[in-house]
Structures are given as structure tokens and as C-alpha cells.
Amino acid sequence: MRLSDKEYRELVSVASSARGGSYSPYSHFAVGAALLSCDGRIFTGCNVENSSYSATLCAERVAIFHAVAQGYRDFTAIAVVGGPSGKATEGECQPCAVCLQVMAEFCDADFEIITENGEGGYNVYRFADLLAKPFKF
Ligand code: THU
């Protein structure tokens, strides 16, 4: 655990707010993400869907690309929240494998992924436990 309880809750709260920006008319599943840089900045993202489906970007990648485009490449943690659009989230939303592969580009094994636990709390995962062997060359 790299952050305090207050910091984990704050990151989940920022991800929940970012979820409000989700553009998800096809899946009706809204996701928000909040990415914490090593120097304490938070970058947000939400999923942005497209009628061609495969052009859709997940919330995590929007947050990461947002940060990288602004010159930030070192990160501590990301909070991810998701659930049916227009409703409060009820359980855990795990990052997809494509987003984990993108995290592998910028994050070390101890980078943390924070999800809601469905009981008003959160779960903390170590990156290397979710994607043990990312593609690298
Ligand atoms: N989605 C995310 O934003 N993050 C993930 O890690 C998994 C899925 C989005 C993509 C799509 O807009 C919707 O959730 C349903 O798959």
C-alpha cells in the first residue's frame, strides 16, 4: 500500500466524478479513471465510445494519454470505477487487458490499481499481480 486511506478514497472520488463525462451510448456502461502521478498531480479520463466500436477508448487510456501528452510519465496509482450509465456504481470494475498493457509502458510492478469493492470501500491491486508478463521488446 503506497497511499493513505484518505488518498485512496480521494482518488476513487475523483474517478467517480470523471465518470460523469463518459460518452457511452452503445454499451451504456460508464467508466471513470483518476491517475496519480509521482509528483501528486491527478489526471482524469472517461470512456469515449464510437459508432465503429473499435475506435472506442477506455477511461484508463484516456487518463494515461492525457497525462503523457502533458509531459508526465511517472505514476503511482490509478483508480477505476464503472457501472451501468445513469446509475451509481455497485461493484468492482477491473481494467481491461489492453489498458493493463498500456500501463506496462509507463508503470512499474508496484504501481497500484484501485477499484471499488461494492461495500463503500476499495480494493488495491499491485500492477504485477494483474498483468504478470506484459509484452515488451
Ligand atoms: N471500458 C473502460 O473504459 N475501461 C475498461 O478497462 C474496460 C471497459 C469501457 C469501454 C466501453 O466503452 C465500455 O467500458 C464497455 O466495454
Side-chain angles (χ1 to χ4, degrees):
M1 305 275 268
R2 302 174 108 182
L3 304 177
S4 67
D5 177 63
K6 185 168 175 279
E7 289 169 317
Y8 285 123
R9 289 183 186 279
E10 166 75 5
L11 211 53
V12 170
S13 167
V14 175
S16 297
S17 298
R19 182 174 172 252
S22 169
Y23 176 74
S24 38
Y26 303 104
S27 72
H28 304 287
F29 191 87
V31 184
L35 175 70
L36 179 65
S37 70
C38 291
D39 58 0
R41 276 200 56 167
I42 296 177
F43 296 88
T44 60
C46 60
N47 55 331
V48 182
E49 298 186 345
N50 188 273
S51 60
S52 75
Y53 287 38
S54 63
T56 292
L57 265 193
C58 292
E60 299 92 316
R61 277 177 285 155
V62 170
I64 293 166
F65 295 157
H66 178 193
V68 172
Q70 301 211 29
Y72 292 81
R73 295 180 182 174
D74 299 311
F75 307 110
T76 305
I78 190 167
V80 184
V81 305
S85 305
K87 292 187 183 166
T89 53
E90 282 183 354
E92 184 165 59
C93 177
Q94 287 284 353
C96 76
V98 175
C99 288
L100 290 172
Q101 178 64 38
V102 169
M103 288 174 204
E105 190 74 25
F106 300 104
C107 306
D108 63 21
D110 292 326
F111 177 76
E112 290 182 332
I113 290 124
I114 325 303
T115 61
E116 293 178 299
N117 70 2
E119 297 167 3
Y122 55 84
N123 293 319
V124 181
Y125 298 95
R126 186 173 172 260
F127 175 72
D129 291 331
L130 297 191
L131 187 65
K133 295 191 180 294
F135 173 76
K136 293 218 168 144
F137 75 95

